[in-house]
Amino acid sequence: MGRSPMDRSSSISWKPDPALDLPMYRQIEAYIRQKITTGEWSAGYRLPSQRTLAAAMGVNRSTLVTALDNLAATGMIEGRHGGGTYVSGSGWHSLAHTSLPNWSEAAQEGWYYPNLPEIQQINQAEFRPGIIRLGTGELAPELMPSAAFNEILQNLSSRTRTLNYIEPQGSLELREALALHLQTSGIQASPDSILIVSGSLQALHLISVGLLPRGSAVLLEKPSYLYSIHAFQSAGLKLNGIPMDEEGIDLGYLDRAIQTAKRGSGENGDESFPLLYTIPSFHNPTGGVMSRERREQLMSLARVSGVSILEDAAYQELWLDHPPPPSLKANDLEGRVLHMGTLSKAVSPGLRLGWLVGPVPVIRRLADIKMQTDYGTSSLAQEAAASWFADGHHASHMEQLRPELRKRKAFMLTLLQQHFHDIADWTTPEGGFYIRLRFSAEPLSIRRLFHDCLEENVLIHPGYLYDRLDTKHIRLSYAYASFDEMERGLICLAQAARRLLLNQP
């Protein structure tokens, strides 16, 4: 299956050295030649734009153009109709290799969809020195429990089994600890019904390839985090967005979507039923919480319609003043709900550790697929997590974390009132990380705003990542940026937005 070309902008850390006797354009020639001759930039590879390369290398565009012209004269690179500069697949290259692999073409033929261009840019920009990350959905390093994990890892160093493989469903010790932890939120789950995964993304991938036939419908809130990734689309599943109101997903729309999906599966001779993916607590990106009454109504609708539910509880514990209503899984008496949790949000994304709770046959099926893909989540991370829960670190960490997040949320809301009161409105979340900002004064290009801010080293998350038709919203996070970064970043964002509003036709 062919794919549209991916965004070719690339972070290049190399720069020519002006102190050398060799002219800078010659240094650039040598650098690009080395990339090509070693095969790192293979035939058909599209070079980043001249503007991107010149900025990354810290040179004038004329210097870069001289180097590129010389490389083109030797046949190493070529311009193509429609724009862009590519590594040549003919000329000198064909003389050196009788059958040259076209890795660039192969990279477009795989069945897994590439990330959206802005997601690729965000993933690269997050590691740029000096960047202010106003949209990042993770804790700031100073909010992570580094001291506690250092102590845990030191204790684990004396345990010889830490470096061994662990059984397919994951460490029994960790699953037992999680079974006890889940009871605190009303979920009754035995260790046999728990699968340890390498973060929520792996759980989504396993479900998409292990439980759902190609062409199946996945229903979800719109907007939703799931629109920003391609786990389900790449597996040939169809996403169907359902509107939301202040209490959560709209059940009238959902009921009609379920009936439509069921009729479609019947026409294909497929008896499978649609899956609903939902984030009921501190929704990403809206920050909303599904009401208790709406949760009860949703479970009733699920029982009547036969729909299964994948509950993403990544933010469930990140309440600030009072806990959200009980999770959907806590009220599941039929094994209808798959419950997905993670340590990435409340503790540390670097652990790459999450869990999935569900009926034993489902868990065993997904565990078997997982063993075919990675042979198990890191045993060291699992044993560390088992100690984290069993020794009481998690509860104490959450008690310390919530006041810090409350302060950050209050500070961001104060800044928004100061700098955006006349051009935007926003949500006031009860937990999680996110404030959803909507520009209300006049329409402006959110895409242009994203790129203008990025040029100023301020990174935001545009709303169209979570709903392709969203032209008004951005997602802000108060969890990562420092207080100083929040202030500087939001001032920059406000100035960029006002410039765009002034220049609207």
Side-chain angles (χ1 to χ4, degrees), residues 439-494:
F439 289 96
S440 54
E442 292 182 33
L444 57 77
S445 171
I446 297 295
R447 192 175 302 274
R448 177 69 183 274
L449 182 64
F450 168 78
H451 289 285
D452 286 356
C453 286
L454 191 55
E455 288 185 0
E456 299 292 330
N457 257 10
V458 174
L459 187 59
I460 60 173
H461 283 223
Y464 55 78
L465 298 180
Y466 313 102
D467 177 353
R468 305 295 166 79
L469 301 179
D470 188 345
T471 61
K472 292 187 175 182
H473 293 89
I474 63 173
R475 188 191 81 176
L476 298 173
S477 167
Y478 49 81
Y480 191 87
S482 67
F483 290 96
D484 176 66
E485 288 173 334
M486 271 192 229
E487 184 165 18
R488 289 189 289 116
L490 286 173
I491 289 174
C492 178
L493 173 61

Side-chain angles (χ1 to χ4, degrees), residues 7 27 49 56 62 65 90 103 123 127 136-137 145 148 157 161 191 210 237 280 288 299 310 337 368 466 497-498:
D7 179 17
Q27 294 182 50
S49 69
S62 59
V65 168
S90 59
W103 289 113
N123 290 340
F127 298 95
T136 296
S157 64
R161 65 188 177 98
L237 306 175
M299 292 302 294
L310 174 57
V337 178
D368 177 64
Y466 313 102
R498 292 180 190 280

Side-chain angles (χ1 to χ4, degrees), residues 10-184:
S10 165
S11 57
I12 295 176
S13 58
W14 178 87
K15 289 180 171 60
D17 185 353
L20 296 179
D21 291 335
L22 190 66
M24 287 201 289
Y25 75 90
R26 290 294 187 189
Q27 294 182 50
I28 295 171
E29 283 183 53
Y31 171 79
I32 296 178
R33 185 180 293 108
Q34 186 265 341
K35 289 287 187 182
I36 295 172
T37 56
T38 59
E40 187 172 339
W41 292 1
S42 57
Y45 174 81
R46 182 177 180 178
L47 276 65
S49 69
Q50 292 180 3
R51 178 183 176 185
T52 300
L53 279 174
M57 295 179 178
V59 298
N60 293 328
R61 192 167 176 178
S62 59
T63 302
L64 175 69
V65 168
T66 300
L68 295 178
D69 286 346
N70 290 343
L71 290 166
T74 66
M76 298 190 82
I77 60 176
E78 60 186 10
R80 291 188 183 175
H81 180 69
T85 303
Y86 296 78
V87 175
S88 176
S90 59
W92 77 274
H93 225 205
S94 62
L95 295 176
H97 305 279
T98 55
S99 181
L100 188 70
N102 192 329
W103 289 113
S104 295
E105 181 177 331
Q108 305 303 316
E109 293 300 323
W111 59 268
Y112 210 94
Y113 282 54
N115 268 323
L116 298 171
E118 282 84 356
I119 292 290
Q120 294 184 36
Q121 288 179 287
I122 289 170
N123 290 340
Q124 294 168 3
E126 283 185 333
F127 298 95
R128 181 193 299 176
I131 195 80
I132 296 177
R133 296 162 63 174
L134 287 183
T136 296
E138 64 183 77
L139 292 177
E142 62 268 21
L143 297 182
M144 295 180 192
S146 300
F149 266 95
N150 285 337
E151 178 184 342
I152 290 171
L153 292 173
Q154 287 178 357
N155 293 336
L156 289 179
S157 64
S158 61
R159 295 171 61 172
T160 55
R161 65 188 177 98
T162 300
L163 300 181
N164 294 115
Y165 286 128
I166 290 181
E167 59 190 284
Q169 284 183 221
S171 159
L172 177 59
E173 184 181 2
L174 174 55
R175 288 184 285 123
E176 289 174 340
L178 279 171
L180 292 174
H181 173 66
L182 289 166
Q183 287 180 15
T184 64

